[in-house]
């Protein structure tokens, strides 16, 4: 007997899928086309980028700053998400949740500028270190400041996304592990953590991809050493009107980040599809 | 970011209304910040009152990518806009400008104030020695050599990271003792060597907002600032917080232009003819702090000496050489960026 | 319901049917009976356990039976250590467990949802409590194989839980709870999610496991048939207290309350007044004025010397009377009523009678027409006198 295909769900999903594909594939198509035709046909844009030390440096900076920001999010946001899942009714946690959601409403420029003032030579952090006799450290215009700004921007995104994923883990499994003789920490490590891993990897991947596109935060809080690829793309477009180079950079960034994500997920999510 | 670039390329500028239609209104390219505010508090209301025409702001015109997208798609948003010298040069070479048809009679005797009837100076823009007056007020720095002297003036110094447009290399060479008349063609190696000597003390900015924030918050104590923005800051904070020295100012005009394909070029010309009147120019200059490019405008300015360029001291400034940069922009920028990225 | 709470002594007298093996392992030391004393527990200021007492002899298969909300699962979780009682103690073999963390109690537990670790294979699930105890790999493998064998899971050791059927998952949960040889196995409605046929199979397996391993099983269910099929001791829970505890036969024949009578077999009930109690029995008066004498053994403990009581009698203990035979004697209870409903039970019928003030069900060899008048009778030594329906609380 022929298997009946249920067309209705497919039809229902069609418009949305078409829009999504259109919004992604079409621009990427334009991007690739532009990168090999502007200003002339060929791979000259790619050649220029690959041989340019400035682009190489920015690529490396982009990768490691984004990676560090993701690490910061994982270290800071994971316990917060866990606390939200386990004690979401507590008044403190309600406040935390409200802060997380509210910080979405603040623009990245305003948040970066807030850190500019916080970490500045006349800011409160330096005032404290100075009062403690630790001197006046240079906190701005270095990788530290950029990472702080990036983590601040990404943390709510990571935490809320992980919160959604952790909430679906049956906490009863941890209870069961403790009933089987495990200490709480051991039960968390051997049961909760492996089940949280897809959420951690997905959340980390998402904020990593967002981090790759940062340019307001490194421009304000970073120095010349913290130039990220997106700043070069913006420069190529705004200052030089060089769409070809911008497109080629954008396409390389896209390919590199997809490849990197695929690799990371392959390593961190073994057999992930096998339990749901 | 990726999507933004691409969408810009695909359907650039379509998001904003072209909207000038008949003779009733014109669309002005935005520049942002205090510059636009000064336009709105001086000649725009005067123009509206005098002509009955409406003036609307479009998107930012200080963005070559936006120009390119509009010209390629044919959806030209602005009727008239201010651009900087490099951008003007790129636009003129691309053939994306309309002739202005505005008389240049009575302009300052300053190089490049008007070019081929396609661009007419909006103001003279200068990079000046800028410092914290509360720190170095007793013996204030005057020259670029002072800015590079970390012993006498210790602390972080600020420079623009766009070397091609913002005179950073010129400053280094002047500090290294090169005479203004021998500046061009630039000895890029020598300039980078000089910059190397203070590289660890430099904080780079790439927009006016960060520049003002750096000196205002004391993150930088000395460096290169924009004369108009610094004057604005002085007005806000009182004269003893931030100081500037007009000596060795690196000056160049910015330009009014009319984009090719503008919907209301006649309205734009009417606008330009109105605002180039001495009184309008003086009012705008008083607000921005940038010197007007018109001799007669200075008659309406009470505090003439505070401007980096005046009709009677035209030659104290170093004129930014647009021809040199026209030819060398890409190559020098690449070298500078490579130097910047290396440790 | 303090008046009918079973005194500990009576439960302790019970000799578990399967206790032979357990007695052998416990020889030479005090039996490891589980004793729950006066345990109280409130959630959000609402008390859900009002002083629960329980005595489960070592080796028993005890089932806590009750409707949802009766507190049976809470008692189980308190025994397991997942909940801390507000008052009272839990001891095992005389050792006080009340303050101990779950892991320190060494009890096995099978959760209602099985709580299998979805990221571990069957083998690793079963091995989990052994890894926790840092058992050597060789011994661990041997033990996992042994317990997987006991529940017929050897072919599935490499699979993940979601690749198993419900019954297989249930067996993994059992093996995992038993593999570290706990002193007590707790089962929280483990058969609830299975279909009826599978449930019968697993009931047999559970009984067999209980016989082989010999440790105490404490099981929670709301299914009376399941409780009776499995248990040597049934504890009937109601509204946060123990209504009655005893062997299934005892609960069936000697219910202490109407609730128990109704819950374990379904019972007819008629209100009556206890006139006096003597050595020959209890003299009752029904509301229609008839007087009856019930043998003394059929008066539930806790019933007073006189006052309002309830007479309960099961449908299967009665018979219908042929017409003309409506007054068979003094030692029977007779009821007449109109047939409202007839249910075929296989081999016999159950008739629902409406006798004006009283309703009753009775089993009959023959069907009856709806609307017909039927006379039914119960021998008085099958009737039981209990307190008023809501006499307790």
């Amino acid at each position: 007997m022929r298997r009946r295909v249920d067309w209705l769900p497919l039809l229902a999903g069609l418009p949305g899928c078409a829009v999504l594909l259109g919004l992604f594939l079409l621009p990427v198509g334009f991007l690739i086309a532009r990168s090999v035709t502007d200003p002339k046909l060929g791979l000259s844009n790619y050649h220029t980028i690959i041989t340019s030390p400035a682009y190489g440096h920015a690529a490396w900076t982009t990768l490691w700053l984004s990676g560090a920001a993701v690490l910061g999010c994982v270290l800071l946001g994971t316990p917060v998400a866990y606390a939200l899942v386990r004690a979401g009714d507590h008044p403190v946690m309600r406040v935390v949740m409200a802060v997380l959601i509210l910080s979405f409403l603040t623009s990245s420029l305003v948040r970066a500028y807030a850190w500019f003032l916080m970490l500045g030579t006349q800011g409160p952090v330096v005032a404290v270190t100075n009062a403690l006799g630790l001197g006046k450290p240079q906190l701005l215009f270095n990788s530290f400041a950029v990472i702080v700004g990036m983590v601040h921007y990404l943390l709510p995104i990571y935490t809320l996304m992980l919160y959604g994923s952790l909430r679906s883990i049956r906490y009863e499994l941890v209870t069961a592990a403790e009933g089987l003789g495990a200490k709480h920490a051991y039960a968390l490590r051997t049961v909760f953590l492996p089940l949280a891993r897809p959420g951690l990897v997905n959340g980390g991947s998402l904020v990593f991809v967002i981090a790759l596109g940062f340019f307001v935060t490194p421009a304000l809080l970073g120095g010349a050493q913290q130039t990220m690829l997106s700043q070069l793309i913006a420069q190529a477009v705004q200052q030089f009107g060089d769409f070809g180079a911008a497109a080629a950079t954008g396409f390389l960034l896209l390919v590199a980040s997809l490849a990197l994500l695929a690799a990371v997920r392959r390593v961190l999510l073994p057999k992930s599809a096998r339990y749901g | 970011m990726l999507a933004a670039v691409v969408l810009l390329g695909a359907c650039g500028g379509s998001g904003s209304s072209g909207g000038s239609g008949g003779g009733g209104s014109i669309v002005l390219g935005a520049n942002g910040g205090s510059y636009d505010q000064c336009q709105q508090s001086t000649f725009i209301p005067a123009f509206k009152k005098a002509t009955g025409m409406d003036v609307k702001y479009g998107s930012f015109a200080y963005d070559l990518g936006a120009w390119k997208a509009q010209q390629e798609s044919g959806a030209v948003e602005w009727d008239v806009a201010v651009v900087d010298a490099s951008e003007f040069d790129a636009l003129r070479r691309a053939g994306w400008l309309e002739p202005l048809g505005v008389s240049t009679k009575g302009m300052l005797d300053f190089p490049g104030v008007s070019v081929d009837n396609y661009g007419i100076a909006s103001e003279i823009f200068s990079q000046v020695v800028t410092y914290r007056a509360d720190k170095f007020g007793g013996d204030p720095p005057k020259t670029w050599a002072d800015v590079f002297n970390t012993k006498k003036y210790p602390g972080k110094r600020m420079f623009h990271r766009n070397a091609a447009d913002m005179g950073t290399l010129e400053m280094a060479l002047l500090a290294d003792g090169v005479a203004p008349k021998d500046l061009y063609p630039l000895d890029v190696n020598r300039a980078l060597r000089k910059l190397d000597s203070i590289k660890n003390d430099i904080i780079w900015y790439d927009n006016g907002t960060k520049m003002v924030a750096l000196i205002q918050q004391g993150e930088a104590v000395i460096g290169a600032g924009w004369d108009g923005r610094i004057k604005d800051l002085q007005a806000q904070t009182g004269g003893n917080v931030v100081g500037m020295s007009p000596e060795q100012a690196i000056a160049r005009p910015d330009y009014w232009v009319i984009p090719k394909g503008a919907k209301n070029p006649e309205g734009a010309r009417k606008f330009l003819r109105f605002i180039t009147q001495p009184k309008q120019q003086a009012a705008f200059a008083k607000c921005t702090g940038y010197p007007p490019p018109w001799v007669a405008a200075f008659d309406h300015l009470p505090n003439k000496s505070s401007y980096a360029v005046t009709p009677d001291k035209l030659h104290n400034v170093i004129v930014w050489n647009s021809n040199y940069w026209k030819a060398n922009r890409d190559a020098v920028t690449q070298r500078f960026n490579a130097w910047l990225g290396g440790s | 319901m303090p008046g009918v709470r079973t005194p500990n002594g009576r439960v302790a007298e019970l000799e578990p049917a399967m206790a032979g093996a357990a007695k052998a392992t416990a020889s030479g030391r005090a039996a490891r009976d589980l004793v729950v004393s006066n345990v109280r527990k409130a959630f959000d200021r609402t008390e859900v356990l009002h002083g629960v007492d329980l005595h489960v002899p070592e080796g028993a298969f005890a089932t806590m039976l009750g409707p949802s909300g009766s507190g049976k699962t809470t008692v189980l979780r308190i025994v397991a250590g997942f909940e801390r009682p507000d008052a009272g103690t839990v001891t095992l073999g005389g050792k006080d467990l009340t303050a101990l963390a779950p892991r320190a109690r060494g009890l096995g537990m099978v959760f209602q949802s099985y709580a299998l670790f979805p990221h571990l294979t069957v083998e690793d699930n079963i091995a989990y409590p052994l890894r926790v105890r840092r058992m050597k790999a060789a011994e661990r493998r041997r033990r996992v194989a042994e317990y997987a064998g006991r529940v017929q899971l050897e072919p599935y050791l490499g699979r993940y839980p979601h690749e198993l059927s419900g019954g297989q998952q249930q067996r993994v949960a059992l093996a995992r709870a038993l593999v570290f040889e706990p002193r007590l196995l707790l089962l929280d409605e483990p058969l609830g999610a299975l279909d009826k046929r599978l449930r019968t199979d697993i009931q047999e397996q559970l009984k067999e496991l209980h016989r082989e391993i010999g440790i105490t099983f404490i099981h929670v269910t709301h299914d009376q048939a399941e409780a009776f099929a499995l248990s040597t001791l049934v504890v009937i829970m109601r509204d946060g207290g123990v209504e009655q505890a005893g062997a299934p036969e005892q609960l069936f024949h000697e219910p202490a309350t109407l609730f128990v009578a109704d819950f374990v077999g379904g019972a007819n009930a008629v209100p009556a007044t206890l006139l006096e109690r003597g050595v020959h029995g209890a003299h009752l008066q029904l509301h229609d004025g008839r007087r009856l004498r019930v043998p003394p053994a059929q008066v539930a403990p806790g019933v007073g010397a006189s006052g309002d009581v309830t007479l309960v009698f099961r449908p299967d203990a009665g018979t219908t009377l042929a017409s003309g035979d409506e007054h068979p004697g003094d030692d029977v209870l007779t009821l007449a009523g109109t047939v409202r409903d007839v249910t075929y039970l296989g081999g016999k019928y159950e008739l629902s009678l409406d006798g004006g003030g009283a309703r009753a069900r009775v089993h009959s060899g023959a069907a009856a027409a709806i609307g017909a008048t039927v006379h039914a009778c119960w021998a008085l030594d099958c009737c039981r006198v209990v307190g008023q329906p809501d006499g307790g609380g």
Side-chain angles (χ1 to χ4, degrees):
Chain A
M1 203 177 89
R2 247 188 71 204
R3 202 170 143 260
R4 267 191 71 237
V5 179
D6 196 352
W7 286 105
L8 196 61
L10 288 177
L11 284 176
L14 207 58
C17 289
V19 169
L20 286 177
L21 281 179
L23 283 182
F24 179 73
L25 289 184
L26 223 62
V28 170
F30 279 123
L31 190 76
I32 298 171
R34 194 102 209 195
S35 72
V36 293
T37 54
D38 186 353
K40 60 184 198 301
L41 196 67
L43 295 174
S44 60
N45 284 321
Y46 291 95
H47 184 258
T48 309
I49 291 164
I50 288 165
T51 53
S52 152
Y55 275 91
H57 185 268
W60 167 242
T61 306
T62 305
L63 280 184
W64 97 258
L65 286 178
S66 302
V70 169
L71 190 68
C73 284
V74 170
L75 293 180
L76 291 173
T78 308
V80 175
Y82 179 75
L84 282 172
V85 168
R86 292 296 301 150
D89 289 340
H90 194 277
V92 173
M93 285 297 128
R94 285 170 193 267
V95 172
V96 169
M97 185 60 115
V99 168
L100 286 177
I101 291 170
L102 277 179
S103 55
F104 268 128
L105 304 176
T106 319
S107 82
S108 58
L109 181 62
V110 169
R111 287 203 251 170
Y113 197 76
W115 281 109
F116 185 88
L117 299 180
M118 283 284 290
L119 299 176
T121 47
Q122 300 181 2
V125 179
V126 169
V128 168
T129 58
N130 197 34
L132 294 172
L134 298 171
K136 294 185 166 186
Q138 175 66 40
L139 300 175
L140 276 178
F141 317 120
N142 50 31
S143 302
F144 167 77
V146 178
I147 293 168
V148 166
M150 289 172 84
V151 167
H152 181 227
Y153 185 84
L154 297 170
L155 194 57
I157 302 172
Y158 173 83
T159 307
L160 289 176
M161 180 156 171
L162 184 62
Y163 168 71
S165 139
L166 294 190
R167 229 166 39 147
S168 67
I169 297 176
R170 285 157 58 208
Y171 192 77
E172 182 195 37
L173 297 176
V174 175
T175 309
E178 289 174 305
L180 293 169
K183 290 185 182 171
H184 188 62
Y186 184 87
L188 286 182
R189 186 163 60 76
T190 55
V191 176
F192 195 81
L193 194 62
L195 295 175
R197 194 153 70 170
L200 289 169
V201 174
N202 286 333
S205 304
L206 178 75
V207 292
F208 181 73
V209 170
I210 296 174
L212 291 176
F214 267 52
F215 69 100
V216 169
T217 307
L220 194 57
L221 300 177
Q225 291 298 310
Q226 284 75 43
T227 302
M228 293 176 68
L229 275 178
S230 298
Q231 289 169 273
L232 293 188
I233 294 176
Q235 192 186 38
V237 171
Q238 294 175 356
Q239 203 175 315
F240 295 94
D242 189 351
F243 284 2
T249 314
F251 183 63
L252 286 181
L253 183 58
L254 180 70
V255 170
S257 43
L258 286 181
L260 197 76
L261 273 184
V264 166
R265 295 172 70 87
R266 206 183 166 81
V267 171
L268 291 181
L269 282 182
K271 305 175 194 164
S272 68
R274 292 178 58 176
Y275 50 90
Chain B
M1 181 62 214
L2 288 182
V5 170
V6 171
L7 286 175
L8 202 63
C11 46
S14 64
S16 44
S17 69
S20 52
S25 68
I26 55 169
V27 177
L28 200 56
N31 286 70
S34 55
Y35 193 89
D36 288 358
Q37 281 168 20
C38 283
Q39 291 182 337
Q40 282 161 306
S41 65
T42 58
F43 52 61
I44 288 183
F47 173 70
K48 285 181 178 172
K49 204 174 156 198
T51 62
M53 283 176 71
D54 195 14
V55 179
K56 293 176 191 150
Y57 275 96
S59 58
F60 283 88
Y62 185 59
D63 180 340
L64 203 49
W67 278 88
K68 189 168 182 171
Q70 290 190 20
Q71 292 295 329
E72 285 184 358
S73 67
V76 176
E77 179 192 7
W78 311 298
D79 293 309
V80 62
V82 175
V83 297
D84 80 3
S86 298
E87 198 181 358
F88 170 66
D89 177 53
L91 298 175
R92 200 163 61 100
R93 271 192 292 177
W96 290 342
L97 298 177
E98 289 277 339
L100 299 179
V102 175
S103 165
T104 59
K105 207 171 149 215
M107 293 197 87
L108 280 183
D109 180 20
F110 191 87
V113 285
S114 77
V115 182
D116 299 351
N117 199 24
Y118 282 100
I120 186 170
S122 52
E123 69 277 316
I124 311 290
F125 168 81
S126 294
Q127 305 276 333
V128 292
V129 171
T130 303
Y131 55 92
R132 289 288 295 200
D134 51 359
K135 209 163 159 75
F136 305 129
D139 182 11
K142 291 192 173 60
T143 62
W144 297 115
D146 290 338
V147 175
F148 278 71
N149 187 341
T150 52
K151 284 209 177 63
K152 192 171 174 194
Y153 301 104
K156 296 284 178 190
R157 30 266 292 148
M158 61 176 189
F159 290 96
H160 203 292
R161 62 185 296 167
N162 175 357
D165 295 325
M166 296 300 179
T168 307
L169 297 175
E170 285 89 333
M171 293 164 196
L173 290 171
L174 289 167
D176 208 28
V178 175
K181 66 178 169 52
D182 303 328
L183 208 47
Y184 295 99
L186 298 180
D187 183 344
V188 177
N189 284 334
R190 185 172 171 182
L192 294 180
R193 271 200 307 279
K194 185 65 179 174
L195 281 166
D196 257 332
S197 69
I198 59 164
K199 193 172 183 182
N200 291 334
D201 288 319
I202 297 177
I203 301 171
W204 300 98
Y205 57 85
D206 37 21
N207 56 63
T209 307
K210 187 175 179 182
M211 183 268 290
V212 170
L214 287 175
I215 197 78
Q216 185 175 12
Q217 297 300 321
E219 298 305 333
V221 294
I222 194 170
W226 306 354
D227 55 345
R229 295 294 286 265
I230 297 302
K231 273 196 214 168
D232 184 45
L233 185 58
Q234 282 177 327
Q236 279 178 44
T237 57
N240 47 5
V241 178
V242 177
M244 59 176 254
S245 156
E247 209 170 307
Q248 288 191 330
I250 298 172
R252 53 159 224 244
D254 287 333
Y255 294 94
W256 283 109
V257 294
I258 300 177
K260 199 175 198 81
K263 297 196 175 59
N264 190 1
E266 274 318 308
R269 289 187 184 105
K270 208 168 167 183
F271 176 74
L272 290 181
R273 280 195 287 270
F274 180 83
I275 66 161
T276 48
Q277 299 173 89
K279 260 193 179 156
Q280 302 302 335
Q281 287 289 307
F284 184 65
K286 234 186 278 180
C287 181
T288 62
Y290 291 115
W294 299 84
V295 177
F298 284 89
D299 297 341
H300 301 274
L301 290 173
N303 191 12
K304 267 193 342 191
S305 62
S306 76
Y307 292 88
V309 175
T310 59
D312 43 358
K313 51 165 192 178
L314 274 173
H315 304 293
N316 284 9
V317 297
I318 286 112
V319 180
W320 183 83
N321 189 327
S322 65
N323 286 327
Y324 170 79
W325 282 111
K326 225 179 281 182
N328 296 287
R329 194 158 185 264
D330 289 7
V332 172
T333 298
Q334 265 189 30
R335 282 199 53 199
F336 178 78
N337 281 347
W339 170 85
L340 201 58
S343 3
Chain C
M1 198 169 256
V4 296
R5 191 192 305 141
T6 312
N8 289 339
R10 274 190 52 205
V11 183
E13 283 164 21
L14 283 162
E15 193 62 23
M18 309 303 169
K23 285 286 179 228
T25 58
S27 64
R29 53 198 155 107
R32 280 180 171 166
D33 294 3
L34 175 79
V35 179
V36 173
S37 300
N38 194 29
V39 159
R40 293 176 176 274
K41 177 72 185 175
F43 293 114
D44 294 333
R45 295 193 194 141
T46 307
E47 193 169 78
V48 296
L49 296 180
H50 314 292
V52 168
D53 290 310
L54 201 63
H55 185 148
V56 180
E58 176 168 17
F61 195 135
T63 295
M64 286 190 279
L65 174 66
S68 59
S70 59
K72 55 192 190 302
T73 294
T74 307
V75 173
L76 195 78
R77 291 178 65 82
I78 284 173
V79 171
F82 297 135
E83 303 287 353
R84 187 69 63 90
D86 299 332
T89 57
V90 175
T91 62
L92 183 63
K95 190 187 175 201
D96 191 348
L97 303 181
T98 319
L100 293 182
R103 65 186 164 81
R105 301 190 180 200
L107 313 180
M109 176 140 176
V110 175
F111 288 80
Q112 187 168 11
S113 63
Y114 314 142
L116 298 181
F117 305 132
H119 60 298
L120 299 180
T121 59
V122 169
E123 180 169 16
D124 288 336
N125 262 284
I126 299 176
Y128 189 88
L130 305 180
R131 281 185 207 277
V132 168
R133 290 166 175 75
R134 298 170 189 278
M135 185 178 278
K136 293 262 184 321
E139 167 69 0
R140 194 175 68 216
R141 273 195 293 276
R142 193 195 61 71
R143 195 81 83 79
V144 169
E146 179 193 336
Y147 278 84
R150 281 186 190 273
V151 292
Q152 295 92 47
L153 277 173
E154 296 103 323
Y156 307 108
L157 284 177
R159 297 214 188 160
Y160 284 88
H162 78 269
E163 298 170 323
L164 303 179
S165 70
Q168 289 164 339
Q169 291 182 11
Q170 207 268 353
R171 273 145 48 201
V172 177
L174 260 177
R176 190 181 64 175
L178 289 169
V179 71
F180 60 103
E181 298 183 345
R183 298 182 279 179
L184 196 68
L185 180 69
L186 306 170
L187 302 128
D188 184 7
E189 305 219 23
L191 310 180
L194 305 176
D195 66 53
K196 197 169 184 302
R197 241 194 71 84
L198 200 54
R199 223 183 302 179
T200 317
D201 286 352
I202 296 210
Q203 280 175 11
E204 279 171 23
Q205 283 194 2
L206 270 178
K207 280 165 90 168
E208 201 177 312
L209 268 176
H210 179 245
R211 267 198 302 277
E212 286 172 8
I213 296 169
I215 62 168
T216 311
F217 280 24
I218 297 183
H219 170 237
V220 157
T221 186
H222 60 267
D223 182 335
Q224 175 262 334
E226 182 182 309
F228 276 32
L230 289 170
S231 319
T232 59
L233 171 64
V234 174
V235 180
I236 302 215
M237 299 281 301
R238 180 193 185 192
D239 293 339
V242 175
E243 186 89 352
Q244 189 178 6
E249 299 85 343
Q250 188 189 7
L251 294 177
F252 192 76
H253 293 296
E254 300 165 19
T257 63
L258 173 59
F259 177 81
V260 173
D262 201 32
F263 203 77
V264 302
N268 300 309
V270 293
T273 307
L274 177 59
L275 299 174
E276 63 164 326
R277 292 177 70 173
V279 286
H280 300 297
H283 293 271
L284 304 178
Q285 182 167 32
L286 300 184
H287 286 184
D288 61 3
R290 277 186 289 164
R291 293 191 173 199
L292 301 168
R293 187 165 56 86
V294 177
Q298 294 298 50
V299 181
V303 172
S306 62
D308 290 338
V309 294
T310 308
L311 191 62
V312 297
F313 43 100
R314 291 198 319 276
D316 62 338
T319 54
T320 50
L321 299 170
S323 68
D325 196 15
E326 288 89 350
H327 303 285
D330 290 338
D331 55 349
V332 295
L333 167 69
T334 59
L335 285 176
T338 311
V339 176
R340 291 287 177 218
D341 190 28
V342 179
T343 309
Y344 184 56
L345 297 178
K348 57 182 178 179
Y349 298 85
E350 182 174 279
L351 313 181
S352 293
L353 304 181
D354 186 348
R359 285 164 173 271
R361 287 168 292 143
V362 65
H363 289 183
S364 162
I370 296 209
T373 299
V374 166
H375 293 262
C377 81
W378 285 263
L380 282 175
D381 54 6
C382 293
C383 297
R384 193 158 171 86
V385 179
V386 298
Q388 279 186 284
D390 293 305

